[in-house]
Amino acid sequence: MANLIGTAGHVDHGKTTLIQALTGIDTDRLPEEKKRGLTIDIGFAYLDLPEVGRASIVDVPGHERFLTNMLVGALGVDVALLCVAADESVMPQTIEHFQILELLPVQRMVVALTRADLVDEELAEIATEEVKELLEPTRFKDSPIIAVSALKKTGLDELKQELAAALKAGATTSEGPWYLPVDRVFTIKGHGVVITGTLAQGTVTEGDRAVLMPEGLDVRVRSVQSHDEPTKASERGKRTALNLSGVKAESVHRGQAVGAPSVLFATEVLDARVRWIDQVKHGARVRVSIGADEAIAKAFLNDDDPELLQLRFERPVAVAKDQPLIVRRYSPPDLLAGGRVVVPEAAHRRKSVKVATVDDSLGEADAIVQAIGASKEGVHTDDLCRTLGKTPQALGSTFEALKKEGKLHGFAGLWLTPDLYAETTQRLLAALSDLHEKEPSKLLQPREDAVAKASLKWKGKPLDRIVTQLASESRLRAQGTNIALAGFKVRFSDKQKAMLDRVAAALDEAEVSVPSAQEIATGLHVPVQAVEEIIRVGVAAGEIVRVQDGIHYTATKFEEIVSKVRSQFAGRQFTASEFKEGMGTTRKYAIPLMEYLDSKAVTKRMGDKRVVLD
Ligand SMILES: Nc1nc2c(ncn2[C@@H]2O[C@H](COP(=O)(O)OP(=O)(O)OP(=O)(O)O)[C@@H](O)[C@H]2O)c(=O)[nH]1
Ligand SMILES: [Mg+2]
């Protein structure tokens, strides 16, 4: 069942007078409205209807100058009460308001042919025909048209019956976390700030924590009122007043929205799905009415999908997924399009980029899997939440459940489906294999090089985790930020091999007190550059260990040194000079070697002594 009735229609067509005749409530409350006999801002009333209960009514201004205010009212409406004066029939704002209602998710319409006492039957007939013509090509074509006179009190009961029937038939759900666009703010002495609006989604309950957007202020709902009466909770479609704590009146104004912590976004870029009345040029400035706000944005189109409209605002706006919106030209403010938000916090995109939007008929878990599966290399939690219009808190448990079921792999906030993981890691390893092929004498490759070569953009923590995972699957070896395929063995050219053997022999011969590159070069009668080069190759291949410049050991010799240190100093503390003597070397070698062993966690320094670690 729907809750909210909203008036619509040309200026002076008897909307406010009709609501007063129906409810006894004068919705024109501003002194200026009373003085001019004209509605300027939205007004509110309520009506008790058989089998329906209490329904909320929002009365809107008909004058074109106040269309922005009309939109504030119209954006929450379930059932429209289109008022057409029998003596004037269809006029410009009748048409404009009707078009707006058509673009919005308004469920039903009831037409009141007002001021019926001013016309004879023939004129009433003409007006009825003109209204029918307006309705005919639209989903509202079967809407009832009731002649009424607020003055003579005729047709009112019939109108009430039709409104009750429309409310009963208009299906709306209260699903999802609640939010409420703020259309009025006032303070009550001793109680603080009160905001009013039409609850757009969900159920708000006394004591709820909430966030005021787009500023992101934390507030609490101290109490709830609906239809001027206190209540514990209010639901979708109802005119609702909330007494907020945690915020000052100066910080609250029309256009903001307040909602449960997970539902609203403070956004500057959104994607909407719209129907066009008149399409604008790519990049044109437009006015966007959303919630109770109107904000200026630039409109960006999409080549692939004419209904997809990206709006880039000039300031942050409070937005929820699926929220209805209306787009008008910047100047003159003609109606352009209407629709709903599909991605509340969208990424900038080019006109030519095809956009994959999530199938709305899917459940949340399936939508997540689909969105991730459709990506190239996984999706970060934040980006996915933006796409789905949900906050990370709201989706946290769904992610965890999907991970448990094996439908998703998570790597520090980056999510991949098993298929995507298989495909992308395969690509990464293939790229690594290419790098090995190019430098067969080098054991390890920087992982960033392999990632870039595989045309992936992984980095940081998610990349750490993926590498760790691949290592645990024995598909690669990792050392710091360098990686190698698990089965990769370095290969040298014959020339390299021969040179490496000679250098290795020269190093091993000297035991711990190894010669420098220059000394080796002199001994071997080769240029020093050749020795330096082969040492570099040997280090990259893992055949030579570099302790510091000028101090290198072969990998085998280094292992021997480590075993010797372990056996000789096991279970006791030792000093640098004991180490030096034990190793049969000089200070020049002992100090760098000890520091290197510390860094490899073979030994540990404690004051001026060391111990061997297990
Ligand atoms: N004779 C007659 N006059 C009516 C009736 N209903 C409204 N009027 C007159 O029509 C004029 C406009 O009425 P409103 O109710 O203010 O019209 P409105 O549609 O709310 O106007 P805006 O809010 O400014 O768009 C007033 O002078 C009313 O007295 C009616 O049933 N019979
Ligand atoms: Mg009025």
Side-chain angles (χ1 to χ4, degrees):
M1 198 178 76
N3 279 310
L4 184 73
I5 301 168
T7 61
H10 197 72
V11 64
D12 267 354
H13 274 201
K15 299 178 288 297
T16 304
T17 312
L18 178 59
I19 298 309
Q20 189 161 17
L22 287 171
T23 68
I25 299 168
D26 182 5
T27 55
D28 281 351
R29 68 204 148 82
L30 303 173
E32 202 189 341
E33 288 177 325
K34 296 221 191 293
K35 200 172 92 198
R36 293 167 65 182
L38 180 96
T39 305
I40 294 170
D41 202 354
I42 46 175
F44 313 101
Y46 49 84
L47 180 61
D48 291 317
L49 290 166
E51 290 177 60
V52 169
R54 190 157 280 193
S56 299
I57 302 179
V58 55
D59 181 35
V60 305
H63 197 290
E64 60 177 321
R65 267 192 55 207
F66 309 123
L67 189 74
T68 304
N69 289 339
M70 181 274 176
L71 285 165
V72 172
L75 280 158
V77 160
D78 301 312
V79 170
L81 174 59
L82 181 67
C83 297
V84 183
D87 55 319
E88 282 190 2
S89 190
V90 173
M91 296 290 278
Q93 267 63 55
T94 317
I95 297 170
E96 187 170 35
H97 286 193
F98 182 77
Q99 283 180 324
I100 288 166
L101 297 169
E102 239 200 300
L103 294 172
L104 292 177
V106 174
Q107 307 289 320
R108 297 268 164 156
M109 180 176 286
V110 175
V111 182
L113 208 60
T114 56
R115 312 202 306 205
D117 56 285
L118 292 180
V119 295
D120 57 20
E121 229 165 79
E122 198 181 339
L123 269 180
E125 192 54 38
I126 291 171
T128 308
E129 283 311 312
E130 285 185 9
V131 170
K132 279 187 179 158
E133 227 170 89
L134 181 69
L135 269 51
E136 186 51 38
T138 73
R139 69 178 190 279
F140 298 123
K141 66 174 186 295
D142 296 324
S143 305
I145 303 170
I146 320 290
V148 296
S149 166
L151 193 74
K152 300 268 162 64
K153 305 254 185 291
T154 58
L156 298 183
D157 285 339
E158 201 187 335
L159 184 65
K160 278 187 194 173
Q161 272 169 25
E162 291 296 349
L163 287 172
L167 286 168
K168 274 196 280 181
T172 57
T173 53
S174 264
E175 272 170 35
W178 69 271
Y179 72 94
L180 175 136
V182 177
D183 57 37
R184 256 209 276 173
V185 183
F186 47 92
T187 46
I188 298 181
K189 253 204 163 141
H191 289 275
V193 185
V194 175
I195 57 157
T196 70
T198 303
L199 207 61
Q201 178 177 290
T203 303
V204 58
T205 310
E206 194 180 278
D208 278 353
R209 296 202 164 282
V211 182
L212 183 71
M213 285 291 197
E215 289 76 8
L217 301 173
D218 291 321
V219 296
R220 208 175 62 86
V221 177
R222 192 184 279 160
S223 62
V224 182
Q225 276 206 0
S226 184
H227 307 128
D228 299 340
E229 280 166 20
T231 167
K232 284 269 173 267
S234 181
E235 66 198 30
R236 206 213 86 88
K238 281 196 173 151
R239 287 298 308 172
T240 304
L242 302 178
N243 181 200
L244 298 181
S245 61
V247 69
K248 290 208 172 72
E250 308 86 89
S251 332
V252 194
H253 56 81
R254 172 179 284 188
Q256 292 170 316
V258 64
S262 56
V263 67
L264 291 165
F265 292 79
T267 186
E268 287 183 72
V269 183
L270 64 79
D271 280 337
R273 185 154 291 285
V274 297
R275 277 175 51 206
W276 292 99
I277 300 250
D278 189 4
Q279 199 173 59
V280 279
K281 278 210 199 94
H282 188 68
R285 264 181 123 207
V286 293
R287 291 166 194 276
V288 182
S289 288
I290 185 159
D293 202 1
E294 187 190 68
I296 309 302
K298 280 202 173 114
F300 292 90
L301 310 177
N302 188 259
D303 290 336
D304 186 54
D305 186 345
E307 290 188 345
L308 191 67
L309 171 66
Q310 178 157 91
L311 294 167
R312 298 185 196 158
F313 292 94
E314 294 180 355
R315 60 164 168 85
V317 176
V319 168
K321 162 97 170 152
D322 291 328
Q323 194 171 5
L325 52 81
I326 290 288
V327 183
R328 291 188 294 155
R329 204 179 294 285
Y330 180 70
S331 180
D334 300 332
L335 190 59
L336 293 173
R340 63 187 185 85
V341 175
V342 286
V343 181
E345 212 176 352
H348 282 222
R349 58 165 161 69
R350 287 164 182 272
K351 189 165 179 269
S352 55
V353 170
K354 205 171 166 160
V355 181
T357 41
V358 174
D359 184 348
D360 276 343
S361 63
L362 293 175
E364 186 169 275
D366 290 338
I368 291 175
V369 174
Q370 187 206 312
I372 294 170
S375 72
K376 285 204 183 75
E377 50 179 307
V379 185
H380 287 275
T381 311
D382 289 352
D383 293 335
L384 190 71
C385 288
R386 280 199 279 274
T387 309
L388 298 179
K390 299 275 170 67
T391 59
Q393 301 95 294
L395 288 185
S397 55
T398 314
F399 276 123
E400 287 313 312
L402 286 167
K403 202 167 145 183
K404 263 203 193 121
E405 291 167 29
K407 289 183 178 162
L408 286 184
H409 295 314
F411 301 100
L414 178 73
W415 299 92
L416 285 85
T417 58
D419 284 353
L420 197 58
Y421 174 74
E423 190 263 316
T424 48
T425 54
Q426 183 54 43
R427 240 162 68 207
L428 180 69
L429 298 182
L432 181 55
S433 173
D434 286 352
L435 292 174
H436 283 325
E437 207 51 51
K438 273 208 186 110
E439 294 181 289
S441 66
K442 190 170 161 189
L443 176 61
L444 293 163
Q445 297 285 345
R447 64 185 196 184
E448 279 70 27
D449 292 359
V451 168
K453 201 169 169 50
S455 309
L456 295 165
K457 293 198 184 73
W458 296 338
K459 57 179 193 240
K461 275 213 176 118
L463 179 56
D464 287 346
R465 297 282 172 82
I466 290 169
V467 166
T468 307
Q469 175 63 27
L470 287 168
S472 79
E473 292 170 16
S474 303
R475 293 167 74 192
L476 57 69
R477 277 177 284 166
Q479 221 177 74
T481 57
N482 294 321
I483 53 176
L485 282 180
F488 176 70
K489 289 209 172 61
V490 286
R491 296 191 304 274
F492 301 109
S493 68
D494 290 348
K495 222 176 123 194
Q496 281 177 320
K497 181 89 185 81
M499 189 65 178
L500 189 63
D501 285 348
R502 293 172 75 191
V503 170
L507 287 172
D508 283 353
E509 198 185 0
E511 295 291 331
V512 179
S513 310
V514 283
S516 69
Q518 183 61 63
E519 286 159 353
I520 297 171
T522 313
L524 296 179
H525 305 291
V526 293
V528 67
Q529 290 86 349
V531 175
E532 280 169 348
E533 170 61 15
I534 204 66
I535 286 177
R536 201 187 56 74
V537 168
V539 169
E543 301 273 318
I544 292 177
V545 175
R546 177 193 174 279
V547 169
Q548 78 168 38
D549 271 349
I551 305 183
H552 295 91
Y553 299 98
T554 63
T556 3
K557 176 62 70 187
F558 184 72
E559 281 310 311
E560 276 174 33
I561 292 172
V562 169
S563 321
K564 194 169 171 187
V565 170
R566 286 212 166 106
S567 62
Q568 201 158 344
F569 300 110
R572 67 182 176 96
Q573 298 193 337
F574 59 94
T575 61
S577 82
E578 282 175 280
F579 181 83
K580 187 183 71 176
E581 276 155 33
M583 292 290 116
T585 187
T586 59
R587 222 185 136 69
K588 177 182 161 196
Y589 297 96
I591 301 295
L593 190 53
M594 278 192 297
E595 279 167 6
Y596 187 73
L597 290 170
D598 288 346
S599 78
K600 293 288 162 192
V602 175
T603 53
K604 188 175 175 211
R605 186 172 181 163
M606 301 171 82
D608 53 1
K609 295 199 171 170
R610 280 186 168 75
V611 288
V612 172
L613 293 174
D614 291 333

